[in-house]
Amino acid sequence: MLELSDIKKSYLQPNGENVPILDIPAYRMDTGEQAVLIGPSGCGKTTLLHIIAGITRPDQGQVKLDGIDLTQYSEAGRDRIRADKLGYVFQTFNLLPAFSALENILLGMSFAKKKLAHDRAKYLLDRVGLSHRSGNKPQAMSVGEQQRVAVARALANRPAVLLADEPTANVDPNNQSQIVDLIRETCEEDNISLLMVTHSMEVAEQFQRIDQLESINLVVSQARANA
Ligand SMILES: Nc1ncnc2c1ncn2[C@@H]1O[C@H](COP(=O)(O)OP(=O)(O)O)[C@@H](O)[C@H]1O
Ligand SMILES: [Mg+2]
């Protein structure tokens, strides 16, 4: 379960101006719920995902993951909670080039028992249809295959919440729905809440819940109202 309240974030621009980006009074997702987040480029989608993941600290407000308020923790504490509760699929995959597909998934894990981690990594690799590529390094895989490894890595720890930031933006159109279906099905299997940013209306329309950042973010609606 994910619960945000009174989130504000502004960024200091190079010219010294402090520009408000987010002002979100409330936002929540239930356990296992799936939603897409849409909005024009630059409206703060990635900033919001970074705040939910504890990568970026909001200027104020609370971010609760399974009841734990991330904003109360130091950077090291947030890293620990993220490793435990959160999966993140980046637009550009961020796979480690020196490691194989299987190793990249294993690196996403914090299991104490090596054997369990290995079994889970192999299961996920199979689940994303890449058992036959387990020894390949990223440069020896297609872009779609790399993104599938990134999905498996993000799911490695069975997170409470999976965040995916335009996960199909760099994948060719023929493979986009495959990636989206894969993310949705694997989240469903483990009752993981899914929040996916997309530019594609085709992707968005597959979801029952479509959240427009502009309608939950007062910064944008105020800017509109003043325009
Ligand atoms: N580290 C930063 N410093 C200053 N401004 C930033 C920083 N990160 C993002 N921004 C600004 O915040 C706004 C929202 O960015 P972002 O969240 O990446 O938008 P989106 O993902 O919706 O395209 C943009 O105007 C961007 O220029
Ligand atoms: Mg973005």
Side-chain angles (χ1 to χ4, degrees):
M1 211 258 282
L2 170 70
E3 205 169 9
L4 307 193
S5 48
D6 294 318
I7 292 293
K8 287 195 177 154
K9 180 69 189 174
S10 55
Y11 275 125
L12 195 61
Q13 297 303 312
N15 66 6
E17 198 188 344
N18 203 31
V19 177
I21 306 290
L22 297 176
D23 178 355
I24 301 178
Y27 186 75
R28 60 168 287 151
M29 289 185 74
D30 287 326
T31 303
E33 196 172 5
Q34 302 195 345
V36 279
L37 183 66
I38 58 173
S41 175
C43 76
K45 302 180 298 295
T46 297
T47 303
L48 176 59
L49 259 50
H50 282 182
I51 285 173
I52 294 172
I55 297 168
T56 298
R57 203 171 213 168
D59 301 333
Q60 67 167 71
Q62 278 108 47
V63 180
K64 284 190 182 162
L65 273 176
D66 277 350
I68 299 172
D69 183 2
L70 269 179
T71 61
Q72 298 300 309
Y73 290 81
S74 66
E75 194 171 345
R78 298 200 304 275
D79 287 347
R80 222 179 328 109
I81 296 166
R82 184 182 325 121
D84 192 34
K85 300 223 171 273
L86 227 128
Y88 206 116
V89 181
F90 296 90
Q91 184 175 342
T92 49
F93 325 147
N94 290 4
L95 296 178
L96 294 169
F99 295 94
S100 73
L102 188 68
E103 287 163 345
N104 264 285
I105 299 169
L106 282 165
L107 287 165
M109 295 189 174
S110 56
F111 285 124
K113 288 217 175 80
K114 255 193 172 161
K115 170 91 173 63
L116 273 182
H118 236 263
D119 290 350
R120 171 90 177 144
K122 280 191 170 154
Y123 167 76
L124 285 169
L125 204 56
D126 183 44
R127 190 63 192 76
V128 302
L130 287 174
S131 294
H132 61 304
R133 294 281 184 271
S134 74
N136 286 43
K137 291 179 181 170
Q139 61 172 32
M141 286 185 283
S142 74
V143 169
E145 288 173 342
Q146 290 177 55
Q147 189 58 302
R148 282 188 272 154
V149 175
V151 170
R153 179 185 57 184
L155 292 165
N157 274 335
R158 290 199 180 81
V161 177
L162 185 78
L163 303 173
D165 198 350
E166 302 191 41
T168 62
N170 289 298
V171 176
D172 78 76
N174 294 331
N175 289 324
Q176 285 181 4
S177 66
Q178 192 194 15
I179 299 271
V180 173
D181 291 348
L182 180 65
I183 292 173
R184 298 195 66 183
E185 285 165 16
T186 45
C187 282
E188 228 172 85
E189 277 171 25
D190 280 336
N191 211 22
I192 295 167
S193 308
L194 168 65
L195 183 57
M196 183 185 291
V197 172
T198 185
H199 265 117
S200 157
M201 269 326 281
E202 218 178 298
V203 170
E205 278 165 0
Q206 296 176 30
F207 286 73
Q208 272 184 5
R209 177 170 167 184
I210 301 179
D211 294 333
Q212 307 219 14
L213 184 52
E214 289 165 295
S215 61
I216 55 177
N217 182 17
L218 299 180
V219 169
V220 182
S221 43
Q222 275 165 7
R224 283 250 165 112
N226 293 337

